[in-house]
Amino acid sequence: MIRRPVELLSLTLLGGWGASLLGSSEWAPVMGCLLGATLWILIDNIRAARVLAWLRHGNASRAPTMSGVWEEVVERARKGFKVLNRKARKSEARLQEFLAALQASPNGVVMLDRNSHIEWCNFTAAQHLGFDSKRDLHQQIRNLIRDPAFIAFLNKGDYSKSIEIDGRDALPGHPHRISIYIHVYGKGRRLMLTRDVTALEQAEAMRRDFVANVSHEIRTPLTVVTGFIETLLTLPLADEERERYLRLMEAQAHRMQGLVSDLLTLSRLEGSPIPGSAEWVRGEDLLQQALNESRALSDLLSGGQHEWVVVDSPSVEVAGSRSELVSALTNLLNNAVRHTPAGSQVRVGWRMLPDDGVEFYVEDNGPGIAAEHLPRLTERFYRVDRSRSRETGGTGLGLAIVKHVAQRHGGQMLVQSTVGRGSVFSITLPPSRVLTTA
Ligand code: ADP
């Protein structure tokens, strides 16, 4: 601090002394002093200008070399710059962490300014709404989401509920539904959260259909049974007629029993863990057990007039749940009995697949199934011939069960069918569940 006055004084005195040596006038020292002081002010101003220029545009690490008081000014400013830079870097890093967290969010996030321009959005939101997360920045959101329901929702400003709109992948017959929540924050800014609810909506629709279908399936036999009970209670019937009614009631009760049993099977399949590989079952045993049940059904429905051909197949053992695999094969065999006329041939067996997996097949030469029905056969309660299915005790759940069992064992259910020639239903199992035994 003391340096500046000393510098000024020194230059002033130096100027005065120099002038007194050179000049003869008595004003010469005074003029010299003035000149020295002016020189010092000039030098000081140049230093100040350099420091100012550095402060305005300078880089903290390229501070000008100064002496005296300016050295201290520069040093303090440099330290201040460093602290500020460190803080700015920290803030930037935190901001990037927050943005990375928002990017990782399973929900779409869009930040809107007070004029509804997009300030930032993550990839998920861009995917849901068809935005380009870079190109569409600062765009007015109303220009990008043109759904009138969304625009009304945005304009109304009441964001207590969410809204659902079509997502960018929505096509006729291919729904893509996005729910949007808006939260207000800061000064009129809005945070928009998006969620893909397509699967949720589809599951809800399936649940509704399922409940409606089950109710319908149970109500029909129940109506028949109640009708017969009323008749039996009110009319004096001959023994023979009474017996006939009771038989009809029994059939309807069996139908309900079958339905409940299939429903329980399905719910067990959905709720239980995937079968392990600890239990190994011989292919012959599986088929034999299933055949016993289906032969009995053929006896019941067509007096046993189906021709059974058990094709000679390689010896294998398969890993999985015996009861599930038997139930799946029985369903396929029973279908071959129920959906083909008496006298039809049913060929059953299994073959090795190129990848060392195995395929159990049930082939009939019945009426076959038209191609448009094939993709829907495993839907619950889907039937090609509704009345035939009912008459033969079908529940419409058999193939859904087969598909589930196959998938739980890592395989799949396959169908090939030609109208007028017959059908082949099969279950494949992956090599990890198959052991060939010579
Ligand atoms: P269902 O209890 O009605 O047999 P499934 O789910 O087992 O229900 O089968 C669905 C539909 O697939 C049946 O209603 C029937 O129309 C058709 N189907 C199944 N197997 C055969 C087959 N072997 N031949 C012809 N149609 C079949």
Side-chain angles (χ1 to χ4, degrees), residues 49-348:
R50 277 183 66 202
V51 172
L52 210 60
W54 170 69
L55 284 176
R56 279 198 191 117
H57 314 289
N59 180 331
S61 58
R62 286 209 204 132
T65 319
M66 292 285 158
S67 58
V69 74
W70 290 114
E71 185 183 3
E72 191 173 338
V73 168
V74 166
E75 186 52 24
R76 279 174 189 259
R78 202 180 57 81
K79 281 187 180 152
F81 270 150
K82 264 178 105 172
V83 172
L84 275 179
N85 280 347
R86 205 176 309 129
K87 278 189 181 160
R89 270 201 305 275
K90 263 191 183 168
S91 302
E92 177 64 25
R94 288 304 293 272
L95 179 67
Q96 290 309 325
E97 276 170 20
F98 277 127
L99 292 182
L102 291 177
Q103 253 335 339
S105 156
N107 290 333
V109 181
V110 184
M111 289 168 172
L112 298 176
D113 70 10
R114 54 194 308 167
N115 297 316
S116 306
H117 291 119
I118 299 175
E119 286 189 309
W120 186 85
C121 78
N122 67 359
F123 294 130
T124 313
Q127 260 183 348
H128 286 165
L129 303 166
F131 294 171
D132 182 318
S133 55
K134 290 211 173 86
R135 189 196 59 210
D136 291 334
L137 277 192
H138 311 302
Q139 290 288 322
Q140 166 62 244
I141 192 134
R142 290 178 183 83
N143 295 339
L144 299 172
I145 306 179
R146 291 177 177 272
D147 188 319
F150 171 77
I151 292 181
F153 173 68
L154 192 70
N155 292 347
K156 199 170 164 205
D158 173 9
Y159 306 131
S160 52
K161 289 194 185 114
S162 63
I163 185 178
E164 275 172 28
I165 62 167
D166 275 342
R168 74 149 182 197
D169 295 332
L171 288 170
H174 180 272
H176 183 217
R177 298 290 289 168
I178 302 297
S179 91
I180 298 180
Y181 291 84
I182 291 187
H183 303 277
V184 180
Y185 73 102
K187 287 184 182 153
R189 286 199 156 83
R190 276 158 294 179
L191 180 72
M192 212 169 98
L193 299 179
T194 64
R195 199 157 63 100
D196 190 335
V197 289
T198 316
L200 211 69
E201 281 199 359
Q202 277 174 341
E204 180 54 24
M206 269 171 68
R207 192 193 61 79
R208 274 197 306 269
D209 285 356
F210 184 67
V211 171
N213 277 325
V214 171
S215 314
H216 177 75
E217 294 289 332
I218 294 210
R219 198 177 52 200
T220 318
L222 212 53
T223 314
V224 178
V225 170
T226 2
F228 285 145
I229 290 174
E230 268 174 31
T231 315
L232 287 171
L233 284 174
T234 50
L235 292 179
L237 298 172
D239 280 355
E240 217 174 83
E241 210 163 356
R242 198 181 166 75
E243 163 94 20
R244 196 169 66 83
Y245 279 144
L246 284 171
R247 290 272 169 241
L248 288 169
M249 283 166 69
E250 189 188 24
Q252 296 302 326
H254 278 314
R255 191 170 144 193
M256 283 190 279
Q257 227 170 15
L259 181 69
V260 171
S261 153
D262 276 359
L263 284 172
L264 286 174
T265 304
L266 264 180
S267 98
R268 258 198 308 273
L269 290 177
E270 280 171 350
S272 57
I274 299 292
S277 302
E279 189 187 357
W280 288 86
V281 199
R282 281 170 11 110
E284 286 90 335
D285 294 349
L286 286 178
L287 193 61
Q288 209 46 55
Q289 214 174 326
L291 268 172
N292 290 343
E293 290 193 38
S294 302
R295 282 202 167 110
L297 183 72
S298 168
D299 290 347
L300 196 76
L301 292 178
S302 64
Q305 287 189 38
H306 279 89
E307 184 195 338
W308 298 94
V309 179
V310 180
V311 181
D312 209 14
S313 307
S315 288
V316 287
E317 287 189 13
V318 295
S321 155
R322 171 193 282 265
S323 60
E324 286 183 23
L325 292 168
V326 168
S327 141
L329 274 176
T330 310
N331 267 304
L332 294 186
L333 289 167
N334 283 355
N335 277 356
V337 170
R338 294 194 297 106
H339 299 291
T340 61
S344 302
Q345 189 189 68
V346 185
R347 285 164 55 86
V348 292

Side-chain angles (χ1 to χ4, degrees), residues 335 338-339 364 369 377 382-384 389 394-396 398-399 425:
N335 277 356
R338 294 194 297 106
H339 299 291
D364 66 61
I369 306 164
L377 288 184
Y382 188 84
R383 288 132 161 157
V384 179
S389 165
T395 59
L399 293 181
F425 284 83

